Amino acid sequence: MKWLDVQYADGYDKLISMKNGKHASFSRMKVEGEDYLLKVYHNCTDGKIRVIDRFRDLSYDGVHAFPVGNVYVYGRNEGYVSKEYTDALDFSDEWCSDVFPYSLKYQATLDVSSQLRFLHENGFIVNDIRLTNNLISFHYQHGMMIDFENMILEGDHQNPASYYKLYEYNYREALPPSKWEDVKKQFLCNTSLLLNQNFEYFVICHGFADLADNFTFDKDIYDFAKTLFYTDEILYFDEIAPKFQDEEKIKYYIKK
């Protein structure tokens, strides 16, 4: 893995004030003719430095969107650098259904599932999985996870869960981030992309008590969703992904 450590002795305010689409605190830079994004942490802590330092030692060719360098401001690690995918859309983008062939969307779900497995196997909890943090690229022909600002090491619960919590509607207990939550959110992202539905919004509004009812069109998928959301078993999307491979069947399910 090639790391591009970037030093910023000044210009910090300018760096973090730039925006890129839906994601704040990004700035662009060009390295050897390729575009990169600088992601600056909102609140840099020793915990984040510990996570990213361990993260940077990973090497896995099948994972495309891992950060490729660190950003240093006044000598302190304040973020990371990653390749910019200029033609990519995120899983929430309504254009996905028109722009990308189903086979590429299916491949993208396998790619992000592979990334998540790899991170979990190496002791990380992503802690910020959502539709907008999963990308699909026509040019590169694959999917990728992005935005690792809130990633934590397994067992390190000092950071709260990001964006929304997956527990029952009106449930009051504050549960820590977990692999259990990561795989559920990734299932929501992948099925949203493949079925042209926003299951993330469904869960945010209604909780997940009735979520499995959206998958009654196929007994295996329904049983998988029930096991995933109503037990403590950690299941990865690639275990059920073959049930989504047949585009004609999926089109028929969507019409129903």
Side-chain angles (χ1 to χ4, degrees):
M1 181 184 294
K2 181 180 179 183
W3 282 84
L4 306 168
D5 290 343
V6 181
Q7 301 287 339
Y8 276 86
D10 53 28
Y12 178 68
D13 293 338
K14 183 184 296 184
L15 176 65
I16 65 170
S17 67
M18 299 183 70
K19 308 291 182 182
N20 178 49
K22 302 173 184 176
H23 303 281
S25 300
F26 272 115
S27 179
R28 288 184 177 87
M29 66 177 293
K30 190 174 286 290
V31 179
E32 298 178 353
E34 289 198 78
D35 290 325
Y36 286 83
L37 292 177
L38 310 182
K39 176 64 185 282
V40 178
Y41 298 137
H42 293 291
N43 297 295
C44 193
T45 66
D46 291 338
K48 285 184 179 178
I49 294 173
R50 185 173 68 251
V51 172
I52 204 67
D53 280 348
R54 190 162 142 191
F55 191 33
R56 67 184 290 167
D57 292 330
L58 295 183
S59 179
Y60 175 41
D61 291 339
V63 176
H64 305 282
F66 282 2
V68 294
N70 280 0
V71 178
Y72 294 92
V73 181
Y74 303 115
R76 181 176 173 84
N77 185 344
E78 294 281 1
Y80 62 79
V81 187
S82 60
K83 183 179 291 187
E84 180 180 11
Y85 295 88
T86 54
D87 70 332
L89 297 177
D90 65 55
F91 280 20
S92 72
D93 200 308
E94 62 183 19
W95 287 100
C96 278
S97 59
D98 300 319
V99 173
F100 298 113
Y102 185 82
S103 59
L104 179 52
K105 292 194 289 184
Y106 178 74
Q107 181 59 48
T109 65
L110 298 181
D111 291 335
V112 296
S113 296
S114 174
Q115 286 181 279
L116 184 60
R117 271 187 182 273
F118 181 70
L119 288 171
H120 283 178
E121 288 168 358
N122 283 277
F124 295 97
I125 296 172
V126 179
N127 189 29
D128 195 15
I129 295 177
R130 60 176 101 176
L131 290 171
T132 56
N133 284 344
N134 287 276
L135 301 185
I136 177 172
S137 168
F138 187 81
H139 176 74
Y140 291 96
Q141 292 288 295
H142 60 63
M144 64 214 79
M145 295 168 61
I146 62 168
D147 201 347
F148 301 98
E149 179 181 343
N150 292 292
M151 188 166 64
I152 65 172
L153 297 175
E154 188 174 11
D156 182 1
H157 296 152
Q158 63 181 355
N159 294 340
S162 292
Y163 192 42
Y164 66 95
K165 287 293 297 178
L166 275 177
Y167 42 75
E168 293 181 22
Y169 198 56
N170 291 328
Y171 190 65
R172 299 300 181 188
E173 183 180 352
L175 301 176
S178 65
K179 293 180 180 179
W180 177 76
E181 186 173 76
D182 273 357
V183 293
K184 288 172 171 56
K185 289 184 176 180
Q186 193 61 271
F187 177 84
L188 294 176
C189 292
N190 290 343
T191 53
S192 293
L193 177 67
L194 296 175
L195 297 175
N196 295 330
Q197 301 287 331
N198 192 329
F199 294 121
E200 184 178 83
Y201 182 77
F202 179 92
V203 169
I204 292 173
C205 292
H206 307 292
F208 61 82
D210 300 320
L211 177 70
D213 291 342
N214 291 284
F215 305 101
T216 54
F217 56 79
D218 183 280
K219 183 180 184 304
D220 290 338
I221 298 175
Y222 175 72
D223 290 342
F224 184 91
K226 285 179 62 178
T227 302
L228 179 64
F229 280 89
Y230 309 133
T231 74
D232 293 333
E233 190 171 349
I234 297 176
L235 301 173
Y236 292 89
F237 181 79
D238 53 21
E239 298 175 44
I240 196 65
K243 299 292 294 187
F244 290 90
Q245 192 168 12
D246 189 326
E247 181 180 5
E248 293 306 314
K249 280 187 177 180
I250 294 301
K251 287 181 177 179
Y252 175 70
Y253 295 151
I254 292 174
K255 288 179 180 179
K256 286 185 66 177

